[in-house]
Amino acid sequence: MRGPRLNPASDMSDGPDSVTRRRFLRDAVASTLAASAAPILLRATPQDGARGRGTPWYRRAYLWGQTNITEKDPARYDIGWWRDYWKRTQVQAVIINAGGIVAYYPSRFPLHHRAAFLGDRDLFGELTKAAHDDGLFVMARMDSNRAAEDFFQAHPDWFARDREGQPIRAADKYVACINSGYYDEYLPGVLREIIERSHPDGFTDNSWAGLGRESICYCENCARRFQAKAGKALPPKTDWEDRTYRDWIMWSYARRLELWELNNRVTRAAGGPDCIWSGMNSGSVTAQARSFRDLREICRRADIIMLDHQRRDDDTGFQQNGDTGKRVHMLLGWDRLAPESMAMYQTGPGYYRVASKPAAEARMWMIAGIAGGIQPWWHHVGAYHEDRRMYHTAEPVMRWWKTNQQYLVDRQPVATAGIVWSQRNTDFFGRDAAADLVDAPYTGFMHALVRARIPYLPIHADDLDAQSGSLTLLILPNVGAVSDAQAAAIRRFVARGGSLLATGATSLYDEWGDARQDFALADLFGCHPVGGGPSRGSAAGRTSAADPSGAFAPSPNAHTYLRLTPELRAQVDGPKTGEEPAVTGERHAVLRGFEETDLLPFGGTLGALKLDDGVVVPMTFVPPFPTYPPETAWMRQPSTDIPGLVLSERRQSRIAYMPADIDRRYAREHLPDHARLLANVIRWASRDSIPLTVEGAGLVDCHVYEQPGRLILHVVNLTNEATWRAPIDELIRVGPFKVTARLPHGLTKPRARLLVSGGERPVSVAAGSATIEIESILDHEVIVFELTIA
């Protein structure tokens, strides 16, 4: 594919003063024309489907594109080529750089730094007019959290300061204070100017949230506002035990929400009721917490969520993008859209802005997000590339999406298991060790559910009453910080017959991260810590006199095991030593598949629990013993009565409490035994409620949705040569698969169609479930069960 042409009037080595007179005159005319363009707030797009012209644009802009403009691009932007690329990739909306750190139009604000090669050109205006002429919606992109030296000198009171009063800098720029006139006065003026000149349909900003949690700003604005709100001075340092620091955390969150609302008032007043502002958000809850972006509260205010979440990492895999889509939509609603910036350039390992990401890597990230309900948004940095391979990646995915649009939006998820999470838990329980205390346990369960082909939904801890009605199981992966109100909602869920699976320190802390002396959910778990409250242990760098062992905290790897009890047999096939526990009967169902072992690797540490009457303990702790030299690798204490798993039943509910941090261990070590154990406990607690069975070899991620008269199953093939280490460059076909899905009421004799490989498949129906066979899956497959095939 031929890429964009370099403008012949500009050499690659040209500086900002080398723009020719001919180019200057042409661009001046173009700027005048762009500035006079009339606003268009509702544009027709092909295949609007059920969402017609009366629907706001941000509810029907499904396919997105972004060329992130560099300062060199005004001298070389081939607008005609990119317009053709828009058409080929079927985009309905584009994101175009407007202003902030760098302006791409001749701003009337003297300190609004123009791009180095802009001259007097209005590149933003030209591109916006071209997009509108092509029937596309435009979001003006801002990047507005820092400025150059001249701006700082003109308004030193608008910039963040450290405790010594020195300005906080990012490279050669000065970081603006989020409580200053930069955000309250200057940026609203810039937004109004952009609307007046070029009439974009909305705005987004990728750096809108200001300084992150790792820095406390001590400027006069922050000192004055915090004093007025909290009645005290700013906290002197990071100290999670200090009430002032906690108040500062919550105050910082509130300020970001104030800005979200302020910016929307400004853009709607200047551009009309549908001219929205939607700052970008991360797919990582920990990243959201570090930047004070409360995902739940933002989703309650947002018309659309713009996700800046461009790649996988080795710990979470492609499936994390499907998880992100479900998490966002469970907060936002499944009728609203969540486009995601998907990098076409190499983003990891390494960071190569102008080199193509391997096509298979970029494609699978896109597909994994689409399966979770995310709308695709290709993203290039720069308007000219010598590596033209990146131009081939997005088009086939975007065209496939457009062809099958009716099955990919306006649908509801189907799952009976929910993973509970909250950003408050990330903040006040995770604190400075959230990756280990919060993220890893959640990720471990995500991986185990995907591996077992069990559909699930992320459920916010404050939405349990509203969103748990269709669920039969709640999973709480080391959710340490649980408020009394959240604990009460969990009890109500169990009282309605729901089941519960909790791990580690779940409910041992209140919503501020202060330790309790017992689990808030001890009455459900059927056990109690011995020796008082817990500590966060080595992962958080803290200890506790109440729990010096850190029994409920992550610990460094140790040579420890879990003994499977009661024993099915006593070393029938191996040598007998006389030290093994005696045979006591058949093992519990959660130990199915482990018939040929009496031990599972663990690696952590456990403390004693006081057990309530009637609970079952199918696993116990084996304390550490040496690994080296091998002559010393024998158990000093082959068994204990310290539980690794506590099970109980009450009427229809099944309760599993797992003090052993198998979820975290699986996220870190990927041991198949850990995945099988987690899946076994999930299946036991779920009884027979899981709505899907997929048989066949391979690692696949399964998402189930309903539409009126339809059941939709999206299967993503995660099996490749780089499943746990990016990037991949080859797709590996897997199959065959036998799929059995529980049918919704009224869908008694469905037909099945495959949207990727094409064609129909024979369906057998029995006991309310449909079964089909699929020969193979390369990257993904979508199966549609419906009464009639459109």
Side-chain angles (χ1 to χ4, degrees):
M1 177 186 295
R2 180 186 66 82
R5 294 171 298 174
L6 279 174
N7 192 303
S10 173
D11 181 78
M12 288 297 291
S13 62
D14 287 348
D17 297 327
S18 64
V19 180
T20 65
R21 180 175 182 274
R22 178 180 299 175
R23 183 175 183 81
F24 173 83
L25 292 172
R26 186 196 70 193
D27 293 346
V29 172
S31 297
T32 303
L33 292 174
S36 64
I40 305 175
L41 295 179
L42 285 176
R43 275 169 255 286
T45 60
Q47 298 184 13
D48 269 338
R51 300 187 180 190
R53 285 185 59 88
T55 303
W57 71 269
Y58 45 79
R59 297 286 182 91
R60 53 196 176 96
Y62 303 117
L63 301 176
W64 292 70
Q66 179 187 4
T67 307
N68 206 323
I69 307 172
T70 70
E71 290 198 69
K72 179 69 175 180
D73 286 336
R76 62 184 182 181
Y77 207 117
D78 187 345
I79 294 179
W81 188 93
W82 284 101
R83 290 178 77 169
D84 181 65
Y85 190 66
W86 295 344
K87 291 181 176 69
R88 285 188 287 105
T89 57
Q90 302 283 295
V91 296
Q92 298 158 323
V94 288
I95 296 170
I96 302 173
N97 298 62
I101 299 174
V102 176
Y104 289 95
Y105 68 97
S107 175
R108 68 171 180 265
F109 293 93
L111 295 174
H112 195 187
H113 172 68
R114 296 187 189 183
F117 289 79
L118 182 69
D120 287 323
R121 186 179 187 184
D122 183 359
L123 181 58
F124 173 75
E126 294 174 42
L127 286 166
T128 299
K129 183 179 186 303
H132 284 167
D133 287 348
D134 289 347
L136 306 182
F137 305 113
V138 173
M139 255 197 168
R141 177 189 179 272
M142 306 290 290
D143 193 339
S144 44
N145 71 336
R146 61 195 72 176
E149 172 83 22
D150 57 346
F151 203 135
F152 170 74
Q153 294 299 335
H155 295 279
D157 57 320
W158 283 5
F159 291 86
R161 305 274 178 166
D162 62 22
R163 199 174 180 198
E164 286 69 44
Q166 296 302 308
I168 297 176
R169 302 186 67 170
D172 63 336
K173 299 292 191 294
Y174 292 79
V175 177
C177 172
I178 202 161
N179 286 295
S180 74
Y182 180 89
Y183 285 88
D184 288 330
E185 303 168 27
Y186 169 70
L187 286 180
V190 171
L191 296 177
R192 293 186 190 98
E193 177 185 56
I194 292 170
I195 292 171
E196 291 166 4
R197 290 182 59 88
S198 301
H199 316 292
D201 300 282
F203 289 80
T204 189
D205 192 322
N206 75 316
S207 298
W208 63 276
L211 273 179
R213 197 177 71 192
E214 65 278 0
S215 301
I216 300 174
C217 176
Y218 292 94
C219 77
E220 292 182 3
N221 303 297
C222 288
R224 183 181 67 256
R225 290 193 178 195
F226 187 73
Q227 179 71 39
K229 178 66 176 179
K232 47 191 169 184
L234 289 160
K237 61 180 181 179
T238 298
D239 181 356
W240 292 97
E241 302 302 324
D242 179 11
R243 181 56 189 265
T244 300
Y245 182 74
R246 297 176 182 182
D247 289 343
W248 175 79
I249 291 285
M250 302 308 294
W251 174 74
S252 298
Y253 268 115
R255 174 58 176 162
R256 275 66 181 180
L257 296 177
E258 287 176 4
L259 283 178
W260 188 284
E261 294 168 352
L262 169 64
N263 290 335
N264 272 281
R265 288 195 300 272
V266 169
T267 57
R268 291 175 193 271
D274 290 328
C275 187
I276 62 169
W277 182 96
S278 187
M280 294 186 194
N281 287 273
S282 172
S284 162
V285 177
T286 295
Q288 288 286 109
R290 287 175 179 162
S291 54
F292 302 115
R293 293 174 292 177
D294 187 327
L295 186 59
R296 180 173 183 265
E297 290 302 317
I298 287 171
C299 284
R300 295 174 71 177
R301 291 161 170 78
D303 296 293
I304 188 172
I305 285 290
M306 309 300 291
L307 287 167
D308 187 8
H309 188 52
Q310 299 181 11
R311 64 178 179 91
R312 65 168 171 150
D313 57 45
D314 292 341
D315 288 337
T316 57
F318 293 119
Q319 54 267 47
Q320 195 271 339
N321 211 20
D323 180 88
T324 294
K326 292 186 290 190
R327 183 195 307 274
V328 168
H329 280 295
M330 291 303 291
L331 299 173
L332 183 69
W334 289 88
D335 59 331
R336 300 186 188 187
L337 305 182
E340 178 187 78
S341 174
M342 298 167 170
M344 300 294 105
Y345 52 89
Q346 179 59 29
T347 54
Y351 217 84
Y352 303 99
R353 292 285 204 179
V354 295
S356 179
K357 180 178 289 189
E361 179 77 17
R363 178 181 179 87
M364 290 307 301
W365 182 250
M366 296 179 78
I367 287 169
I370 290 168
I374 285 172
Q375 284 69 54
W377 154 12
W378 52 253
H379 180 210
H380 297 279
V381 172
Y384 173 81
H385 303 94
E386 295 177 87
D387 188 343
R388 294 171 296 281
R389 295 172 295 176
M390 66 180 71
Y391 300 141
H392 297 275
T393 304
E395 182 177 348
V397 178
M398 306 287 270
R399 286 183 173 274
W400 176 87
W401 197 103
K402 190 65 172 293
T403 299
N404 296 287
Q405 172 181 314
Q406 62 179 316
Y407 305 106
L408 302 175
V409 294
D410 298 320
R411 58 190 187 177
Q412 292 296 317
V414 176
T416 55
I419 309 183
V420 178
W421 68 281
S422 80
Q423 198 162 325
R424 189 75 178 256
N425 180 60
T426 299
D427 281 319
F428 290 103
F429 175 62
R431 299 186 175 182
D432 298 320
D436 206 41
L437 289 167
V438 179
D439 296 349
Y442 183 99
T443 298
F445 268 110
M446 177 188 75
H447 287 331
L449 286 157
V450 168
R451 185 178 186 271
R453 293 99 179 252
I454 298 175
Y456 73 93
L457 295 171
I459 305 294
H460 194 282
D462 287 330
D463 294 329
L464 292 174
D465 285 329
Q467 295 188 346
S468 64
S470 62
L471 303 178
T472 59
L473 172 65
L474 291 179
I475 301 169
L476 287 84
N478 202 42
V479 183
V482 174
S483 69
D484 290 342
Q486 291 166 349
I490 293 168
R491 288 193 188 88
R492 287 192 292 271
F493 174 79
V494 173
R496 295 193 299 268
S499 294
L500 190 66
L501 166 53
T503 67
T506 292
S507 81
L508 271 170
Y509 298 80
D510 66 16
E511 64 269 33
W512 293 104
D514 292 330
R516 294 183 170 107
Q517 292 302 302
D518 198 355
F519 302 109
L521 299 172
D523 55 324
L524 299 180
F525 295 170
C527 60
H528 315 266
V530 174
S535 76
R536 289 175 178 82
S538 58
R542 304 171 69 241
T543 59
S544 167
D547 180 29
S549 68
F552 301 96
S555 58
N557 286 341
H559 190 217
T560 62
Y561 293 80
L562 295 172
R563 182 167 296 283
L564 311 184
T565 61
E567 298 293 334
L568 180 62
R569 50 185 169 75
Q571 300 287 346
V572 173
D573 299 322
K576 299 178 177 60
T577 68
E579 297 180 356
E580 294 79 13
V583 175
T584 56
E586 292 187 358
R587 289 176 174 173
H588 196 279
V590 298
L591 303 181
R592 188 171 294 131
F594 298 121
E595 289 78 14
E596 290 299 313
T597 182
D598 299 330
L599 294 170
L600 294 181
F602 175 33
T605 187
L606 290 175
L609 292 174
K610 178 184 176 182
L611 303 177
D612 293 344
D613 292 340
V615 301
V616 174
V617 178
M619 300 189 310
T620 55
F621 178 60
V622 176
F625 56 95
T627 61
Y628 189 85
E631 290 83 355
T632 67
W634 54 274
M635 294 181 189
R636 293 353 184 229
Q637 188 177 357
S639 63
T640 70
D641 61 358
I642 298 175
L645 177 62
V646 180
L647 305 176
S648 60
E649 298 189 45
R650 52 177 69 195
R651 296 181 296 278
Q652 294 179 320
S653 303
R654 288 179 171 176
I655 313 296
Y657 169 63
M658 185 180 289
D661 60 342
I662 297 298
D663 44 6
R664 179 186 296 104
R665 297 283 158 186
Y666 185 50
R668 296 291 188 241
E669 298 169 355
H670 299 288
L671 294 183
D673 282 350
H674 290 171
R676 183 174 294 109
L677 177 62
L678 292 174
N680 282 354
V681 178
I682 291 168
R683 292 188 186 280
W684 172 80
S686 299
R687 295 187 185 268
D688 59 352
S689 66
I690 297 172
L692 179 71
T693 302
V694 179
E695 302 173 57
L699 180 63
V700 295
D701 189 8
C702 301
H703 304 258
V704 185
Y705 299 94
E706 280 187 16
Q707 288 177 333
R710 288 189 186 127
L711 185 73
I712 302 165
L713 170 61
H714 201 153
V715 182
V716 180
N717 178 17
L718 304 174
T719 311
N720 56 71
E721 92 284 5
T723 297
W724 303 117
R725 186 173 183 178
I728 65 169
D729 64 359
E730 180 184 8
L731 302 176
I732 299 175
R733 191 175 294 276
V734 294
F737 293 101
K738 180 180 178 181
V739 177
T740 301
R742 185 172 303 156
L743 296 171
H745 179 73
L747 195 60
T748 56
K749 295 181 179 180
R751 300 165 69 186
R753 179 162 57 149
L754 306 186
L755 301 186
V756 179
S757 57
E760 298 182 18
R761 294 294 184 274
V763 182
S764 62
V765 177
S769 295
T771 299
I772 71 166
E773 294 187 0
I774 304 173
E775 290 80 7
S776 65
I777 298 175
L778 180 60
D779 48 3
H780 69 135
E781 187 59 86
V782 178
I783 307 160
V784 178
F785 296 97
E786 57 187 345
L787 291 174
T788 58
I789 304 297

